[in-house]
Amino acid sequence: MAPRAIRIRAAQVQSACASCSLQELCLPAGLNEDDLGRFDSLINRSRQVKRGDYLYRIAGPLQSLYAVRSGFLKSSMLVDDRRKQVAGFHMMGDLLGVGAIGTGKHQCDAAALEDSDVCEIPFQGLEDLSRDVPALQRQFNRLMSREIVRDHGVMLLLGMCAEERLAVFLVNLSQRYSACGDSGTQLNLRMTRDEIGSYLGLKFETISRELSRMQKKGLIRVKGKNIEIEDPKRLRELFGEHTNR
Amino acid sequence: MAPRAIRIRAAQVQSACASCSLQELCLPAGLNEDDLGRFDSLINRSRQVKRGDYLYRIAGPLQSLYAVRSGFLKSSMLVDDRRKQVAGFHMMGDLLGVGAIGTGKHQCDAAALEDSDVCEIPFQGLEDLSRDVPALQRQFNRLMSREIVRDHGVMLLLGMCAEERLAVFLVNLSQRYSACGDSGTQLNLRMTRDEIGSYLGLKFETISRELSRMQKKGLIRVKGKNIEIEDPKRLRELFGEHTNR
DNA sequence: CGAAATATTGAAGTTATTCAACTGGAGTGG
DNA sequence: CCACTCCAGTTGAATAACTTCAATATTTCG
């Protein structure tokens, strides 16, 4: 696409962040030109992660935070040093690694579900620069806070039945895809039913069944990993219809 | 207790934070004497919250963060503007309100389950002071990160059965009570079975039944809101014994 | 003290899981 | 190019786990 090429050209002459389409969502949001340049020289741009490779591993030392530029990743945790559970799915604009700040060690594995491109932000450098650039600090705080709120959203799944959980998942994914410029109705799932199940606290057979049920209801159309949302409104109304709990 | 009285005396002559027993866990951890004084003059110490009263409400503007000095609180969210769900329980040393930083509006209700005493920390002032005091900023980042990790822990509940969830809950509570200097074996629950259930994604009858089952197994001893942990080791081993999911 | 809230327990009902058989599609090698 | 294999996904039937409804007991608090 032409616009993309132009942006990349611009990046080379001045600031890579200034040219990045993630700018408004990402850490340097609200920085002036000068500070943006300083932030830019801090980061190692564009680390490639091949599908199946790890960006970082549990217990590994926190070196950098990572902003996803393109691709799709999952993070996962160990429940009792045995079972693995998916903790989240990440795409363009997401910031990874913040869970490691408290202890200095990563609490999750982060693996690419498709070839991905991330922006590596050395954490020490970020902390140092934040000191001089209040706007950067504020944006960092905001992003951390948003992560907390997002996690609270996952908590709400505990009070929901399978159908509701899956509806929440699909609606959320749809919104995030839209925000990235992808289609919000033609969802190209990058994860398996098993990974969805792990994330939602359900078995993969249940995911499969619920998808079929939603299709029968005319809410979605399932073609393997491709899911078309046919009735977004009714899908959204799905959570909230049960008065349980 | 004598040491406590002495600490309070010291507070009056120099810095309240310097005298606070939460100091190592709280925001000013690692600050030198001078910075501690500046932090101290920032905060409105000791706001009382009566049992049943709210510290803040959903959608209310973020004015301050709150560090719990004593007492016990819960935070809760609305699932679909109708059902309420408990998002967490808070005690001495916990920092409340960080979820509001992203949007400037509180995402949770925070209500006292018993008469509580919190330390009010004006957020704007905290941000300003953080700029000048790197150690404060770092500690703040660490606390935010820890909150994220704690929330990730709640995520793991999704993959657990009722017995495991309750075991996790009790062990966690025990550890936090211990850290506060309370008994880690004589748990004085401040919340109802219904609130535990809401937090864990279970019905209150299930909580009641599982507590009874654990008692029959000799793991705990239930006397209403007072729960004695009889076999901490086996209780901890409870999560991890099922190979599901 | 006494009303109201909270907790316990049983029985029946519902939801999600388990086990198992089968389908379909992607990738590999003959 | 086709056959084969492997992995992901679907679906059915039986089972297990949790919830619902209901009756009763206990605690809390004004």
Side-chain angles (χ1 to χ4, degrees), chain B residues 3 57 59 93 185 230:
Chain B
R57 303 299 303 264
T185 52
E230 287 194 314

Side-chain angles (χ1 to χ4, degrees), chain A:
Chain A
M1 275 190 276
R4 184 170 174 77
I6 289 167
R7 284 218 199 91
I8 288 169
R9 184 109 31 94
Q12 291 162 344
V13 292
Q14 48 164 151
S15 162
C17 284
S19 73
C20 180
S21 52
L22 273 59
Q23 204 200 142
E24 311 81 45
L25 308 161
C26 192
L27 270 166
L31 263 55
N32 63 37
E33 210 176 310
D34 191 38
D35 290 336
L36 194 56
R38 296 171 71 189
F39 180 79
D40 210 48
S41 62
L42 167 71
I43 66 178
N44 304 326
R45 223 146 0 81
S46 235
R47 170 165 159 195
Q48 308 289 331
V49 194
K50 284 252 165 280
R51 176 200 164 106
D53 283 355
Y54 288 93
L55 186 55
Y56 51 79
R57 303 299 303 262
I58 292 173
L62 167 65
Q63 313 277 15
S64 299
L65 302 179
Y66 303 92
V68 182
R69 287 168 63 90
S70 70
F72 205 89
L73 303 95
K74 70 168 176 181
S75 52
S76 54
M77 297 180 292
L78 291 176
V79 181
D80 44 54
D81 302 339
R82 215 168 318 166
R83 339 175 214 175
K84 249 192 168 188
Q85 182 166 328
V86 173
F89 298 105
H90 312 287
M91 45 198 293
M92 208 177 100
D94 290 342
L95 186 66
L96 274 70
V98 289
I101 295 170
T103 60
K105 291 183 189 305
H106 286 291
Q107 308 291 309
C108 291
D109 283 331
L113 293 183
E114 65 178 24
D115 292 357
S116 299
D117 184 359
V118 302
C119 198
E120 188 173 344
I121 308 164
F123 179 63
Q124 186 58 60
L126 176 63
E127 264 200 330
D128 294 343
L129 184 58
S130 296
R131 217 161 288 159
D132 291 347
V133 184
L136 179 59
Q137 182 57 62
R138 292 185 57 214
Q139 178 66 2
F140 186 49
N141 285 343
R142 266 193 233 107
L143 286 179
M144 297 265 281
S145 175
R146 251 175 244 166
E147 183 70 22
I148 291 169
V149 173
R150 183 201 301 266
D151 288 350
H152 280 176
V154 176
M155 229 174 256
L156 296 179
L157 295 175
L158 281 166
M160 299 185 187
C161 67
E163 184 183 45
E164 291 177 301
R165 290 185 194 184
L166 194 54
V168 167
F169 175 77
L170 291 175
V171 168
N172 180 265
L173 213 58
S174 162
Q175 289 171 342
R176 292 167 75 193
Y177 277 22
S178 297
C180 289
D182 285 8
S183 166
T185 53
Q186 284 288 140
L187 306 185
N188 189 333
L189 301 187
R190 263 74 106 157
M191 71 294 281
T192 64
R193 306 282 192 266
D194 201 29
E195 287 165 330
I196 299 173
S198 173
Y199 179 65
L200 296 177
L202 300 166
K203 300 296 171 190
F204 70 92
E205 296 98 327
T206 305
I207 302 298
S208 199
R209 268 185 258 275
E210 290 298 334
L211 285 174
S212 300
R213 264 174 28 98
M214 285 180 176
Q215 178 165 246
K216 271 197 205 86
K217 285 196 193 177
L219 298 171
I220 60 175
R221 178 148 278 285
V222 184
K223 308 158 241 169
K225 285 215 191 315
N226 223 293
I227 293 189
E228 182 186 343
I229 297 185
E230 287 196 315
D231 197 335
K233 189 166 176 299
R234 279 207 298 147
L235 192 64
R236 262 181 274 112
E237 284 166 1
L238 223 52
F239 42 103
E241 93 179 6
H242 302 273
T243 39
N244 318 349
R245 267 173 257 251

Side-chain angles (χ1 to χ4, degrees), chain B residues 138-175:
Chain B
R138 293 186 55 214
Q139 178 65 4
F140 185 47
N141 286 343
R142 265 193 234 108
L143 286 179
M144 297 265 280
S145 175
R146 251 176 243 166
E147 184 70 23
I148 290 169
V149 173
R150 183 200 301 267
D151 288 350
H152 280 177
V154 177
M155 231 174 257
L156 296 179
L157 295 174
L158 281 167
M160 300 183 186
C161 67
E163 185 183 45
E164 291 178 300
R165 290 184 195 185
L166 194 54
V168 166
F169 175 76
L170 291 174
V171 168
N172 179 266
L173 214 59
S174 162
Q175 288 171 342

